[in-house]
Amino acid sequence: MLSLTGKLSTTFLNGVCFTKQSFKIYNGYSGFYDYGPSGCAIIPCVTPEVVLKASGHVEKLTDQMVKDEKTGTFYRADQLLKDFCNEKLREDVRLSLEQAAELRRTLAMMDDLSVEELGAKIKEYGITAPDTKNPLSDPYPFNLMFQTSVGPSGLTAAYVRPETAPGIFVNFKDLYYNNGNKLPFAAAQIGQAFRNEISPRQGFSRVREFTLAEIEHFVDPKDKSHPKFSEVKNLEFLMFPREEQMSAQSAKKIRLGEAVSRGIVNNETIGYFIGRVYLFLSRLGIDQDHLRFRQHLANEMAHYAADCWDAEIECSYGWIECVGIADRSAYDLRAHTEKSGVALVAQEKFSEPREVEKLVIAPVKKELGLAFKGKALGMKATLESKGEVEFYVRKLGKNVCIKKNMLLISKEKKKEFQRVFTPSVIEPSSGIDRIIYCLCEHCFYRRPSKAGDEQLNVFRFPPLVAPIKCTVFTLVQNQQYEEVAKVISESLSVAGISHKIDITGASIGKRYARTDELGVPCAITVDSTSSVTIRERDSKDQMRVHVDDVASIVKALTDGQRTWEDVWASYPHHSFFNFYIIIFVLLIIMLVSKFFIFLFCFQDIASDFLGFLII
Amino acid sequence: MLSLTGKLSTTFLNGVCFTKQSFKIYNGYSGFYDYGPSGCAIIPCVTPEVVLKASGHVEKLTDQMVKDEKTGTFYRADQLLKDFCNEKLREDVRLSLEQAAELRRTLAMMDDLSVEELGAKIKEYGITAPDTKNPLSDPYPFNLMFQTSVGPSGLTAAYVRPETAPGIFVNFKDLYYNNGNKLPFAAAQIGQAFRNEISPRQGFSRVREFTLAEIEHFVDPKDKSHPKFSEVKNLEFLMFPREEQMSAQSAKKIRLGEAVSRGIVNNETIGYFIGRVYLFLSRLGIDQDHLRFRQHLANEMAHYAADCWDAEIECSYGWIECVGIADRSAYDLRAHTEKSGVALVAQEKFSEPREVEKLVIAPVKKELGLAFKGKALGMKATLESKGEVEFYVRKLGKNVCIKKNMLLISKEKKKEFQRVFTPSVIEPSSGIDRIIYCLCEHCFYRRPSKAGDEQLNVFRFPPLVAPIKCTVFTLVQNQQYEEVAKVISESLSVAGISHKIDITGASIGKRYARTDELGVPCAITVDSTSSVTIRERDSKDQMRVHVDDVASIVKALTDGQRTWEDVWASYPHHSFFNFYIIIFVLLIIMLVSKFFIFLFCFQDIASDFLGFLII
């Protein structure tokens, strides 16, 4: 133990890649540390202004805001304009064809409108505040970041991060070193992001604090192939390329490999991540018929982006963007290089030196010396007396005129040993809350209760994502069964399975309904001291398993190691349909033979039987 | 799927307990949602001012700050005073016994000093700015929260949360309902917390953004027993009760059950959490000899707290507080009840009504009516004309004098059906970053390299917590081995085991050293196409296992299902010590018999042999 001999300095922990001071390329900020890459990657939320200036967020992460001139209520200008156009198109029957076309044009070019044009449109259409009909102010930009300051002076401006990416870019140098100075590599970050929305609405699709999961995958701009692309190239799903959008067609199924080979998707790496996002969302339980990948139109993309696709999920709010997959080229690393002065670049070492022809510009020292009047080397004194030169020399801060005779420009053959370049970054970025909301919608359905008098709510979450994996019930209130339920609950805890135990006297049907409404995939009912039933939520089928096997079966099902079909085959299984027939036949036999009363004398057998009655 | 038929409203999602609007008892704030309890529990970081005013953070989460009067640099006043006293005591040999005693008194009462007393001490001792020796300003309070504002008006003050607890208290009503209106229950929250420290120092022990893990365990103040206390009552570890601290004794080993029964620890629930924290920290790898539970002195605790214990870990910074376990009584729920107007209370329904004797105060209506001059019922008009009454009636906002004859005070027997009370809360709160830092120190050691010429760094992280569980090497660069390494790497990925693959040509010794420095518990070396060796980091012992078994063995070891001892027994195992003897004997035999060359003809056998050579 080192604590008795000396401190484990942060420099040392940095050396073994566990931690480092945050924002190091901007000289660091006291009291903020990053974990990673060998530790867990946690990057601060509070981000200094200089970082977000370099990334462009301070200047560009804005929405246009208008104000009700009497009440002072704020609105997003583009939302008002959009709502106005849509409503007019939907409801105004007196609209001329020409007027309708004009409104559609406005909707289409919404993202291209400058703040002045936006204001002019609002005036032109006579749009007023939706609640009061009061006149509106001219639109003006409002930055969406929550501002704060670091330290007691209040002078170090900072923001609560609007996304997690900048925290990764500023660490590029260490991450590259940690990967043995080799490309490609990726860094991932999951965490809270914050946007001070002007008027949040649409429930979970636009909130002020949300969970972002971002990957920054750094590649050589000359080689954007992906070694695992072949694993996803045969996937086929709804894609909505730029061209189809422009020509008013709809999304169509395209094989991913074809989309890349035909150049619809810019490169294999974007393609790989599109495929992985598709697999991820499908496995979560997102309905494939209501999932599409839409390519950004030219006017939606930043000027530096090479390509950008959004995974959009259709829900009651329409198609909402849940994951963005963008090839941001070298923009971010270049911006942080420029502002921080730290070169965020990669090298490709040549296996043998390459001969290249280069334009070489050599100064003719004599002529330059004359131009500087001797200042070029020991010119300080002369400069002070004369005070004037003609081209800009950063160190002098002056202009000096270069004439033809001062330079020799020639083509020369040179040997190069490496290539230095700024990597491109491909960024899949997921809004976790939006995905969860869509998942809730896609997994939700209603079915009639047993008595048929009400509709019961069910969430058909796949076992892997259900927040609670399993409930434990006792069929009837009975101390022996309660003991068994507790034993099972403990074995589930040991196996790390989130579950609920309900040994109340509520009817078993009511308890199943509760559990279905929470999307719990397995319900265990204790109806004997040796074996129990496990009920599957959607089919309502049941099987009988030994108490000792419960935890391992539930674990295998919820980890995705085994499917229900697989498990049904190994245990006595009673499908909901067969079960009714069996019960019907049994009841008739029993009623006829008076077997009924006899059977109930044996408590354990009776409870097995009652177990089957559970629906 | 519901998306085609209607929205899944947040009200509905709230109904099934997946989500809810945040800060609902304070009328909610647009754009912030909580998940839970049936979803995952995520609570916003941005917290409205009203919540943090109620919790006392706005008024009390302050440090006293002084300023270098010339340079404007800020310091924490108490830190300067503490450093001054400690340095004086340590280094000033001319100090009289009396002076030394005075300095020790100051150190002891540090937490009790008011801002004026702190300023007076700094003046009295002539303390100046540590860097410049300039005079210091008077101390003044500085709030440690990062301030921001919500919404476009900039008028809704908010803070980035200083701890996660308030987000749980404001949700008490829903959590209580979700637990079937029964106590005890607990809510847990893990997330970032933010404190704008005046001058952060001591590396990870005082940072501006950190990870907090808090549990709020709500109990009936009349019954603070814990059903699982018996599971921890026989644990014995270093405790440092208040009395031992006051009488200058040191921490000593006490059995937890005894500490509770003797009343050293206030109640079973605090005791239970102390035990769980002890088990948690021990399993992480914290050295038990450098872990103690220190009880807060009376002057350290808030006036409302019933008891408070800190888990302190000794490291190179001294004993630092890593987990606090406090019985905060009903303070927080009462404060939020008062400010929000929403009663955060629990009910105990009696199984049968209880007869209680109560003091009943009945108004004598006639006399009161006279006092009010008829205002008591229809008094509005009279009040307006007269404008004066003598005791305080909130609705009137006036004082009215109550005389003896206006009230009948008597003891009466009444039936009560339930008891309404504010629950107590017991709060274990862990600073994850401090624990991780201490863990790094406690797990760190150095051992000589094979050649003995350098000291190699090792982190002996238990497999359960090591960030990377396993590395995969090839013994020599060889395409067949690389294929095997990739197959193993894939099987590890499928099993969810974080690992690194290193098929570079670096010497195997160097690669082991790298892996030890990252605290990786298992190193797999491919030295044949059928079986591989697994090396344990600390003993350097190796065993030989089949390629197909690797993932399951590593998983069992890192999940904690199997121990190394257990695994050693099941596979061919070569301890580091035995191995040297075997190699020595073998080498002699081979050199003598010229067996050496023969052996190497069989590549697989040869690689097995080389595998043993790895150290």
Side-chain angles (χ1 to χ4, degrees), chain A residues 592-604:
Chain A
V592 170
S593 66
K594 299 195 177 170
F595 187 61
F596 193 75
I597 293 149
F598 173 74
L599 186 71
F600 275 80
C601 296
F602 299 88
Q603 205 204 344
D604 263 6

Side-chain angles (χ1 to χ4, degrees), chain B residues 332-383:
Chain B
D332 306 279
L333 291 181
R334 283 213 183 107
H336 288 293
T337 296
E338 197 177 299
K339 292 276 161 123
S340 68
V342 176
L344 304 175
V345 292
Q347 295 89 32
E348 182 198 1
K349 291 217 166 59
F350 300 142
S351 49
E352 45 192 68
R354 289 185 192 172
E355 200 161 78
V356 286
E357 207 175 48
K358 276 204 157 179
L359 268 187
V360 175
I361 303 170
V364 180
K365 282 193 180 167
K366 192 184 144 202
E367 297 296 332
L368 271 177
L370 284 172
F372 275 110
K373 310 255 182 219
K375 285 191 284 293
L377 297 165
M379 62 193 165
K380 208 179 160 221
T382 325
L383 181 76

Side-chain angles (χ1 to χ4, degrees), chain B residues 22-217:
Chain B
S22 307
F23 317 114
K24 219 170 49 178
I25 66 165
Y26 291 100
N27 301 320
Y29 283 77
S30 310
F32 294 104
Y33 289 90
D34 297 346
Y35 284 93
S38 298
C40 193
I42 299 175
I43 289 169
C45 294
V46 174
T47 308
E49 186 171 46
V50 59
V51 176
L52 293 163
K53 269 192 171 159
S55 65
H57 288 95
V58 171
E59 196 194 338
K60 287 179 190 152
L61 189 65
T62 54
D63 272 343
Q64 307 308 326
M65 174 161 85
V66 289
K67 202 163 102 174
D68 181 320
E69 287 200 336
K70 287 186 185 153
T71 65
T73 308
F74 296 95
Y75 301 95
R76 256 181 70 178
D78 60 337
Q79 269 176 2
L80 289 190
L81 182 57
K82 202 169 151 189
D83 289 352
F84 174 88
C85 295
N86 281 327
E87 205 182 304
K88 205 82 179 159
L89 283 167
R90 203 171 49 235
E91 290 171 13
D92 192 344
V93 286
R94 297 161 309 167
L95 219 55
S96 72
L97 280 178
E98 205 171 288
Q99 284 170 319
E102 148 73 8
L103 290 174
R104 276 195 208 95
R105 252 198 313 279
T106 304
L107 280 172
M109 59 194 280
M110 194 71 85
D111 290 330
D112 288 335
L113 293 181
S114 70
V115 55
E116 291 78 18
E117 289 166 338
L118 201 55
K121 282 281 170 212
I122 288 175
K123 280 228 159 55
E124 183 190 334
Y125 295 162
I127 301 174
T128 54
D131 306 319
T132 60
K133 306 295 164 208
N134 290 333
L136 293 167
S137 73
D138 282 335
Y140 54 101
F142 172 71
N143 191 291
L144 295 182
M145 293 190 290
F146 286 104
Q147 189 165 15
T148 186
S149 65
V150 173
S153 72
L155 299 174
T156 313
Y159 299 91
V160 196
R161 67 177 178 203
E163 58 177 21
T164 59
I168 295 176
F169 294 131
V170 297
N171 282 321
F172 173 78
K173 252 187 103 158
D174 290 317
L175 294 167
Y176 181 58
Y177 171 79
N178 192 255
N179 198 48
N181 291 333
K182 274 184 191 141
L183 287 179
F185 72 88
Q189 171 70 0
I190 301 172
Q192 300 299 91
F194 304 80
R195 295 195 189 173
N196 197 1
E197 295 287 345
I198 295 169
S199 49
R201 49 182 202 174
Q202 298 197 321
F204 271 74
S205 71
R206 195 161 295 281
V207 291
R208 284 176 167 150
E209 185 169 340
F210 49 100
T211 307
L212 261 189
E214 293 185 309
I215 296 173
E216 306 297 334
H217 182 93

